[in-house]
């Protein structure tokens, strides 16, 4: 027993050293204490210019608690009276995925709300509108087919189940102005491998269209009555009142899309509305961890133009960011009311 106790003590000491190397003991105590006051809504925000309007919104009441972990700052407070944790991810898929995983792993959450701005591929939407997709895809995961092969040819590693031709492809030669051929050939879109928390570790599943929480999505219909800002200032206004609308699909990739040809392609191929760089990563993490989530994206540009408002992302980003935050606040109010009714019943 003496040897066993020594080995046990050594093992426990190693665990302490490892945990302190990853997360300092003081921070772990802060996390444990904070979790006793939960659960919280996790608010995941891509960038500073999208975070600031929320920090400045009168419905946000900060607490004295801020926890910094692995380069991420988790701000505690309330939004519309609901306990919330705010965290900024940084640009694109890797940052948003890492941040969302930290959030749902470390903290006691009841749901995740993601918001920000987006480009637009949907001709029925306009700058200033806020889109609420029911499904999100990661459209930047590709199998790039070798030159000379076509749709009838299997992809590399397709036979082992790593890749598929089920989703479809883009043929670069279709967009050539000088030739009917192109060495870039075809790019095939691929589903993500996912490993759900209630599944078998290392036993992969696949998903391309990730659904938001159905209850959240149904509640979001009530947001269509909310009035949004039309003017950024006395001289810069939209020519129409912006609207809030639930749409079928949005898509993300670590690519800033400002190209009319690609915008038209992804709309024709996938019928997506917002096009941006973070939401699919948030969706995938929440899907794997079985955490309810929803995303609100305000249109700041037209992903390649096509109207007199082309390439005006710089001008309209502040207005879009403000409208996205207003939708988040109003949604939290609606969600809070639904929780009260559920508790009464």
């Amino acid at each position: 027993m003496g040897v066993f106790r020594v080995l046990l003590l050594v093992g426990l000491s190693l665990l302490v050293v490892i945990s302190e190397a990853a997360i300092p003991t003081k921070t772990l105590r802060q996390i444990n204490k904070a979790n006793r006051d939960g659960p919280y809504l996790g608010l995941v925000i891509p960038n500073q210019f999208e975070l600031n309007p929320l920090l400045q919104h009168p419905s946000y009441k900060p607490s004295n608690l801020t926890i910094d972990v692995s380069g991420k700052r988790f701000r505690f407070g309330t939004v519309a009276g609901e306990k919330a944790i705010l965290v900024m991810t940084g640009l694109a898929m890797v940052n948003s995925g890492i941040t969302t995983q930290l959030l749902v792993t470390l903290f006691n959450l009841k749901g995740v709300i993601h918001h920000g701005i987006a480009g637009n591929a949907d001709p029925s939407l306009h700058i200033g509108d806020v889109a609420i997709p029911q499904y999100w895809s990661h459209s930047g995961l590709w199998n790039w087919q070798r030159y000379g092969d076509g749709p009838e040819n299997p992809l590399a590693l397709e036979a082992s189940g790593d890749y598929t031709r089920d989703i479809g492809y883009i043929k670069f030669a279709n967009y050539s102005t000088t030739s009917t051929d192109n060495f870039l050939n075809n790019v095939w879109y691929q589903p993500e491998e996912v490993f759900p928390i209630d599944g078998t570790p290392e036993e992969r599943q696949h998903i391309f269209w990730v659904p938001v929480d159905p209850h959240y999505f149904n509640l979001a219909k009530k947001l269509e009555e909310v009035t949004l800002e039309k003017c950024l200032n006395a001289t810069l206004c939209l020519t129409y009142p912006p609207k809030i609308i639930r749409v079928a699909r949005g898509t993300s990739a670590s690519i800033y899309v400002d190209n009319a040809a690609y915008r038209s392609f992804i709309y024709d191929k996938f019928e997506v509305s917002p096009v941006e760089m973070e939401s699919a990563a948030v969706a995938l993490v929440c899907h794997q961890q079985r955490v309810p989530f929803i995303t609100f994206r305000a249109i700041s540009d037209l992903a390649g133009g096509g109207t007199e408002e082309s390439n005006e992302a710089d001008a309209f980003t502040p207005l879009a960011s403000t409208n996205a935050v207003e939708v988040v606040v109003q949604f939290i109010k609606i969600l809070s009311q639904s929780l009260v009714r559920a508790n009464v019943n």
Side-chain angles (χ1 to χ4, degrees):
M1 288 297 294
V3 173
F4 174 78
R5 286 176 180 168
V6 169
L7 290 174
L8 180 61
L9 288 171
V10 170
L12 290 173
S13 297
L14 285 172
L15 286 174
V16 170
V17 170
I18 292 169
S19 68
E20 288 183 346
I23 302 177
T25 301
K26 180 181 177 181
T27 304
L28 286 172
R29 291 197 191 101
Q30 286 182 306
I31 292 170
N32 291 333
K33 183 179 179 182
N35 283 336
R36 289 195 292 270
D37 292 331
Y40 302 89
L41 284 173
L43 273 59
V44 179
I45 305 112
N47 294 297
Q48 196 73 49
F49 64 84
E50 293 155 313
L51 172 63
N52 284 338
L54 182 55
L55 296 179
Q56 297 161 7
H57 197 281
S59 74
Y60 172 61
K61 308 298 181 187
S63 74
N64 294 324
L65 179 60
T66 298
I67 299 178
D68 295 339
V69 181
S70 300
K72 305 297 179 182
R73 174 156 292 175
F74 298 90
R75 305 168 187 263
F76 290 75
T78 61
V79 177
E82 286 290 318
K83 294 179 180 178
I85 304 173
L86 282 58
V87 61
M88 189 185 79
T89 68
L91 185 70
M93 295 282 286
V94 172
N95 278 322
S96 54
I98 290 171
T99 306
T100 306
Q101 186 66 63
L102 278 171
L103 175 69
V104 302
T105 299
L106 295 177
F107 297 106
N108 179 10
L109 300 182
K110 56 185 173 185
V112 168
I113 298 172
H114 178 52
H115 79 268
I117 66 168
N120 177 43
D122 185 342
S124 70
L125 296 183
H126 303 282
I127 288 174
D129 292 348
V130 177
I132 311 170
Q134 187 174 11
Y135 295 91
W136 282 94
S137 71
H138 175 199
S139 52
L141 182 57
W142 295 349
N143 184 308
W144 207 314
Q145 196 170 29
R146 72 173 59 190
Y147 178 70
D149 284 355
E152 71 282 359
N153 298 112
L155 302 174
L157 303 179
E158 183 179 354
S160 62
D162 291 332
Y163 298 101
T164 178
R165 285 172 289 162
D166 290 343
I167 296 170
Y169 68 99
I170 181 171
K171 183 179 180 65
F172 285 100
N174 290 343
Y175 298 90
S176 174
T177 60
T178 58
S179 171
T180 58
D181 200 6
N182 193 306
F183 284 125
L184 293 175
N185 202 24
N186 305 321
V187 162
W188 292 82
Y189 292 89
Q190 299 300 315
E192 285 276 3
E193 291 184 352
V194 293
F195 301 87
I197 193 171
D198 52 3
T200 302
E202 299 183 354
E203 188 173 297
R204 67 182 177 180
Q205 300 177 22
H206 290 93
I207 192 166
F208 187 71
W209 294 112
V210 183
V212 306
D213 181 76
H215 177 58
Y216 285 8
F217 189 71
N218 288 335
L219 287 177
K221 182 172 178 56
K222 298 180 180 179
L223 292 167
E224 294 174 359
E225 303 170 0
V226 173
T227 301
L228 297 177
E229 286 292 333
K230 180 180 177 181
C231 295
L232 184 63
N233 51 47
T235 59
L236 184 60
C237 290
L238 299 171
T239 57
Y240 41 79
K243 62 183 180 292
I244 303 168
I245 183 168
R246 297 187 305 168
V247 298
R249 301 178 184 92
T251 193
S252 309
S254 292
I255 304 165
Y256 186 91
V257 177
D258 193 23
N259 181 276
Y262 190 68
R263 177 199 71 213
S264 297
F265 168 79
I266 58 175
Y267 180 74
D268 293 340
K269 180 68 179 176
F270 299 120
E271 294 184 355
V272 294
S273 297
V275 179
E276 42 79 272
M277 303 174 72
E278 294 88 18
S279 294
V282 178
L284 283 159
V285 171
C286 290
H287 174 76
Q288 292 188 109
Q289 301 301 312
R290 305 306 192 208
V291 177
F293 81 98
I294 193 167
T295 292
F296 305 106
R297 284 286 180 164
I299 303 304
S300 61
D301 62 274
L302 300 178
T307 75
E308 68 277 6
E309 293 166 338
S310 301
N311 299 320
E312 293 190 359
D314 288 343
F316 287 102
T317 286
L319 179 62
S321 299
T322 298
N323 281 346
V325 166
E326 187 59 34
V327 171
V328 168
V329 171
Q330 296 304 321
F331 177 77
I332 291 175
K333 291 179 180 178
I334 293 169
L335 179 61
S336 180
Q337 292 167 2
S338 76
L339 293 173
V340 169
R341 287 194 296 269
N343 290 334
V344 169
N345 295 332

